[in-house]
Amino acid sequence: YRHVDLLAEGLEIPEPGPGGTQADFQAVLEEEAPTEEELAEGGQAAEEAASQTLTREDFNPTLYNLDAREMESLQAAIAEEMARDVREAVIAALFDRLEEPLPNRQTEIISILNLLIPALLSRGELAAATRVLSELRAIESQGGVLGEDHRRDVAALLDRLSNEETLGELVQALEDGAISPSPELLGGFFGHLRAGALGTLIRASETTKSRELKPILRKAVAGIAQRNREALINFLDSRDPVVVTGALHLAGQMGVREVAPRLTGLLSHGSPQVRTAAAETILQLKATTLASHLLDTLLDPEVAVRVAAARVLQAMRSRGAAGRLKDILQSKEIRTADLSEQIAMFEAYGSVEDPQAVPFLDKYLNGKGFLGRREPAEIRACAALALGKVGSGEARSSLREAATDDDPVVRNAVGRAMRAMQDGPR
């Protein structure tokens, strides 16, 4: 804007002449001043003019009242204004200005967004924060709108949102119930974050104690991992076993076959959780060529890992595991093992299609020792369940022989195995 003094333009300003003293000006004033008679006559004339132009009706307030239709229109306009989302309008105006290639203004708007997004997150307004990020990323993707400096500023903003401290506070708010977004909304917000956020979110999805939050986090994290598969694979090298375990779960769930070559090494990882997850991922990826590496895992020091390996071999029906499983079932350790491990080992053996499985298992279920002693009830029950996995006619005959056994544990196991064979022999 530019000020133009129109009064002075093209006018000649008179120069002061001789005289001009205070006494000269006082004489002019006295000469021009009206007398008392003139003042009285002027006041009377003004009153007469006013009485002729103003009437009582001029002060009637009903002349300015609104009719019913006008009142309704005014009230509707007021209600619309009060209900209007001023913040949305302001944000929209900010992004409209951000699209204009004016560097100073763009710098100021980005600095405003640096304050706005954390403020929205602290108040739990995840939808508004997501909308701001969506608009910002859309403008960032347009060529010729933001300069390099502004692109770096936007990247720095996204890095701050993706760091462990910010995400830790957000996860804490989610666990406390301060905010409770839907999986879609949470995934939409996480989708704008950097790949570096994946590690923090994977850990949160594995360690949260909230049953309601865990599936929401896992679904949201899967969305980020889907867009950053390479970053997911890199997290298998993390020093945090919780992150490695979570990364394996995601890789198996998503079918990321690129992790398969890494699974062999992870079966000997220092963390039993990682070893268990690696075994389960072999099954999820249907990596049958890695089944042989699970044979050593059947002898892992941790029960959970041994059980996981046995269940994977059972599901894969790996014939190559028959010999190792048979050795385990004949060992003394299996008789003192946890019941869950006993069941897992026997059922795995019954599923790997060993031609000698029925006579081998029948000896445990129906056989007697030299003095007529039978195997412990738990071992006999596990053998019955294994025969149910074999599913052949010979296996059915072996089970029928023990259907009326005196021990209820054995009878129950035989009943379960028979029900599992309802589809008939294979």
Side-chain angles (χ1 to χ4, degrees):
Y1 295 93
R2 183 167 58 90
H3 173 69
V4 178
D5 190 350
L6 296 177
L7 292 177
E9 187 175 357
L11 295 180
E12 295 183 4
I13 307 300
E15 297 293 334
T21 63
Q22 182 65 29
D24 296 330
F25 288 117
Q26 186 64 34
V28 173
L29 289 173
E30 291 176 354
E31 183 179 343
E32 296 292 335
T35 64
E36 293 183 3
E37 292 79 5
E38 290 174 336
L39 288 174
E41 291 177 357
Q44 183 177 0
E47 289 180 4
E48 292 176 356
S51 64
Q52 293 174 0
T53 58
L54 297 177
T55 65
R56 188 178 298 275
E57 292 297 324
D58 293 323
F59 299 95
N60 186 355
T62 59
L63 296 176
Y64 306 98
N65 284 350
L66 300 176
D67 59 28
R69 183 186 303 173
E70 292 171 330
M71 284 295 293
E72 289 177 2
S73 299
L74 182 59
Q75 289 173 352
I78 292 173
E80 181 181 357
E81 179 63 23
M82 295 298 291
R84 186 167 66 96
D85 192 340
V86 178
R87 183 181 63 193
E88 288 293 316
V90 171
I91 292 175
L94 282 175
F95 281 108
D96 286 342
R97 302 301 182 275
L98 186 60
E99 291 181 342
E100 299 173 359
L102 299 174
N104 291 337
R105 180 187 290 174
Q106 289 175 325
T107 299
E108 184 177 359
I109 292 174
I110 292 174
S111 67
I112 292 172
L113 297 178
N114 269 286
L115 299 174
L116 177 62
I117 297 176
L120 293 173
L121 291 177
S122 66
R123 296 173 59 181
E125 299 183 21
L126 204 60
T130 303
R131 180 178 178 275
V132 172
L133 288 175
S134 299
E135 294 283 353
L136 188 59
R137 296 298 294 270
I139 290 178
E140 184 186 26
S141 64
Q142 297 177 17
V145 176
L146 298 179
E148 288 302 319
D149 291 342
H150 294 130
R151 290 182 179 276
R152 282 194 292 269
D153 292 340
V154 172
L157 170 59
L158 295 175
D159 287 339
R160 283 195 296 275
L161 290 176
S162 304
N163 66 31
E164 186 173 356
E165 181 180 359
T166 302
L167 291 178
E169 293 178 0
L170 178 59
V171 171
Q172 186 63 50
L174 291 168
E175 289 183 334
D176 295 343
I179 54 177
S180 53
S182 65
E184 292 74 20
L185 179 57
L186 193 60
F189 174 76
F190 286 159
H192 294 292
L193 302 183
R194 299 292 194 186
L198 194 56
T200 303
L201 295 175
I202 288 175
R203 195 176 207 291
S205 68
E206 293 291 321
T207 59
T208 181
K209 297 179 181 178
S210 172
R211 293 182 179 180
E212 295 78 13
L213 181 59
K214 184 179 287 289
I216 294 176
L217 276 175
R218 284 186 171 175
K219 184 173 181 180
V221 171
I224 303 179
Q226 194 68 48
R227 293 184 292 271
N228 299 276
R229 295 167 73 97
E230 185 176 350
L232 176 63
I233 296 171
N234 291 336
F235 277 114
L236 296 179
D237 296 326
S238 173
R239 295 182 179 180
D240 188 343
V242 176
V243 173
V244 179
T245 300
L248 283 169
H249 288 158
L250 277 174
Q253 174 187 337
M254 295 165 50
V256 183
R257 300 193 62 83
E258 291 87 348
V259 306
R262 311 281 292 276
L263 296 177
T264 303
L266 293 174
L267 286 173
S268 58
H269 193 278
S271 167
Q273 288 81 10
V274 172
R275 299 198 298 273
T276 301
E280 294 169 346
T281 305
I282 289 176
L283 175 60
Q284 290 176 304
L285 297 179
K286 296 180 174 59
T288 55
T289 57
L290 300 180
S292 60
H293 296 282
L294 290 171
L295 300 182
D296 291 337
T297 309
L298 290 171
L299 305 176
D300 193 274
E302 293 291 330
V303 175
V305 181
R306 297 196 297 269
V307 170
R311 288 175 176 168
V312 170
L313 291 169
Q314 172 189 336
M316 299 177 71
R317 309 185 73 83
S318 177
R319 294 184 180 183
R324 178 62 58 85
L325 287 167
K326 208 170 190 178
D327 291 341
I328 292 173
L329 298 184
Q330 291 174 324
S331 68
K332 295 180 180 179
E333 289 77 13
I334 195 65
R335 286 165 171 75
T336 59
D338 182 85
L339 180 59
S340 63
E341 182 178 0
Q342 292 175 339
I343 294 174
M345 294 297 177
F346 271 93
E347 289 190 333
Y349 175 69
S351 301
V352 296
E353 302 180 355
D354 182 7
Q356 302 300 318
V358 174
F360 180 79
L361 294 171
D362 182 74
K363 182 178 65 174
Y364 283 94
L365 177 60
N366 297 313
K368 295 181 181 180
F370 180 73
L371 299 178
R373 297 183 60 182
R374 295 182 182 275
E375 293 284 352
E378 291 78 10
I379 295 295
R380 296 182 65 204
C382 290
L385 295 175
L387 285 166
K389 296 297 180 182
V390 174
S392 64
E394 294 80 1
R396 188 185 298 272
S397 299
S398 178
L399 288 169
R400 284 174 178 165
E401 186 177 343
T404 58
D405 196 273
D406 294 337
D407 194 304
V409 174
V410 177
R411 289 200 308 273
N412 289 337
V414 170
R416 287 175 54 190
M418 295 289 284
R419 288 191 295 273
M421 297 170 60
Q422 286 179 355
D423 292 338
R426 291 188 298 272

